[in-house]
Amino acid sequence: QPQPMGGVPATGTHTLLLAGDDAGSGQDPGAGVVGTERLMGVEDGQRRCRCVVPQRAVLVVLIFLAEVICYVDRTNISVAIIPMQHQYGWSSSTKGNILSAFYYGYLITQIPAGWLAAKYGGKIILGAGVVLWSLFTILTPPVAGYLPLLLLMRVLLGAGEGVTFPSVHDLVANWYPGNEVTRAIAIMTSGQEAGTVISMILTPLVAAYIGWPYVFYMFGALGFVWYLFFHVLASARPETHPWISHQEVLLIRENSNTHNADNSEIPWRQFFVASAVWAIATAHFCFNFGWYIVLGWLPSYFNDVLHVQLAELGWPSVLPFAFMCISTITSGFASDYLISTELLSLLCAARCPAARFLAAVTGPMRLTSLHNIAVCV
């Protein structure tokens, strides 16, 4: 779009009519989805900044990086606690209490975070969570010598990270067409495994050659850097994003599976008695039971039982999570393709992870009977 003299874009107003706001327009109320937004700084129906990259793609990258940092800060103590235990003389039970303290805070903020994200937008809640948990990560080394404060810091870190996924799902619901949701979530959640991989590779090296406190200082600082980009580049809703194109907003809203219904219209009773809800909750519980045992204790097992040195813990510890990262992305794309081409029903796609889950549980069951690092790998 041509610029006025001096390179300053012309300003004006343009009203974007979406579904539910057809008064006086003569348009079909089903043409879009959510009401009217007045977009400032727009001329002739075009945004003042025409971005080649779709903004929902930018959001995918930002959330992926947020989940990378989330899991780096969550898992780095799995390795760092080995030299910390030696320095402070902690017993195995104390070590277990420190590792588990995170999840008390993580549990408490899940449901409130979902309500807050729905009310105020996922951007605010996710941004606040990243800043808080990054702060508590940095504060971990100074309080490590005083156990009650260390436990408190782990609880607060968990509380900060507990807002991550409720706010992410709010952003996904508002930003992605129905046929892109699975792929978007697959890419975003692969950040969990990617963050674990990064943590398992770098933490042993940093702890062995620089010192375990720098594990928390370095990784904690990443959250503040991420927030600067997220604050500028992200928006809670497509309609309020300053750079998104008119066409992308319409694409999102015309193909969205969600509607801005009032909370009073949500059928809570049917929700809680639905067998599908309990099936998902049960599968998630069982998966997490094994996942977090491996996540928290695998480095200690390699160090204590198989006598792998601290600096060499990265390569054996990282393999399960590296392959899980690849599997998460590929299965998301494959699922979307099979459903969209009607080669696989939605019900069958939902049942497929059960087979993978049954195969996965056999690994940890065999691990405890092995005493050779090569065979464990």
Side-chain angles (χ1 to χ4, degrees), residues 236-248:
R237 304 286 184 270
E239 295 84 5
T240 59
H241 198 287
W243 306 324
I244 195 171
S245 69
H246 175 81
Q247 291 79 10
E248 187 176 3

Side-chain angles (χ1 to χ4, degrees), residues 65-357:
L65 293 175
E67 296 198 16
V68 167
I69 297 170
C70 176
Y71 268 74
V72 165
D73 290 342
R74 180 183 308 194
T75 60
N76 55 22
I77 198 169
S78 300
V79 176
I81 201 167
I82 295 173
M84 292 171 73
Q85 182 182 20
H86 293 157
Q87 178 175 337
Y88 295 110
W90 295 327
S91 66
S92 294
S93 60
T94 299
K95 180 179 178 180
N97 289 332
I98 294 170
L99 290 174
S100 63
F102 169 93
Y103 300 101
Y104 293 106
Y106 192 65
L107 176 65
I108 291 171
T109 55
Q110 296 271 324
I111 294 177
W115 180 82
L116 290 171
K119 185 175 180 63
Y120 298 107
K123 177 184 177 179
I124 294 176
I125 306 304
L126 178 59
V130 174
V131 169
L132 287 175
W133 91 55
S134 298
L135 175 63
F136 298 135
T137 299
I138 292 173
L139 292 177
T140 298
V143 303
Y146 187 58
L147 188 58
L149 280 181
L150 177 60
L151 293 173
L152 175 62
M153 207 57 56
R154 294 299 298 173
V155 171
L156 293 175
L157 173 62
E161 290 203 4
V163 310
T164 305
F165 297 104
S167 55
V168 164
H169 286 296
D170 177 79
L171 290 168
V172 169
N174 285 284
W175 267 91
Y176 294 94
N179 63 341
E180 295 180 0
V181 167
T182 305
R183 279 170 284 175
I185 292 178
I187 295 172
M188 292 172 184
T189 55
S190 67
Q192 301 170 26
E193 291 79 44
T196 305
V197 167
I198 293 170
S199 177
M200 293 296 178
I201 292 175
L202 295 182
T203 301
L205 298 175
V206 173
Y209 296 111
I210 303 178
W212 65 262
Y214 291 93
V215 170
F216 300 96
Y217 296 145
M218 292 169 57
F219 291 150
L222 290 177
F224 292 99
V225 175
W226 174 89
Y227 178 77
L228 296 177
F229 287 93
F230 182 70
H231 180 71
V232 174
L233 298 176
S235 175
R237 304 286 184 270
E239 295 84 5
T240 59
H241 198 287
W243 306 324
I244 195 171
S245 69
H246 175 81
Q247 291 79 10
E248 187 176 3
V249 175
L250 292 179
L251 172 67
I252 293 169
R253 288 309 179 208
E254 289 177 355
N255 297 280
S256 175
N257 288 337
T258 61
H259 302 276
N260 290 340
D262 185 78
N263 286 341
S264 62
E265 299 177 8
I266 298 176
W268 290 109
R269 183 179 180 279
Q270 290 89 332
F271 179 82
F272 284 112
V273 299
S275 59
V277 172
W278 289 105
I280 293 171
T282 302
H284 196 57
F285 174 87
C286 294
F287 168 79
N288 281 333
F289 190 88
W291 162 255
Y292 285 115
I293 289 175
V294 173
L295 199 66
W297 289 95
L298 190 62
S300 293
Y301 176 78
F302 284 152
N303 182 256
D304 296 339
V305 177
L306 302 181
H307 308 294
V308 179
Q309 296 301 308
L310 180 63
E312 299 173 353
L313 278 176
W315 68 271
S317 301
V318 81
L319 290 177
F321 311 109
F323 280 97
M324 189 174 178
C325 181
I326 297 171
S327 174
T328 300
I329 296 176
T330 54
S331 62
F333 278 83
S335 178
D336 264 353
Y337 173 77
L338 293 172
I339 293 172
S340 64
T341 56
E342 299 183 351
L343 295 174
L344 192 67
S345 70
L346 189 60
L347 179 60
C348 289
R351 288 173 173 170
C352 283
R356 190 176 71 169
F357 175 76

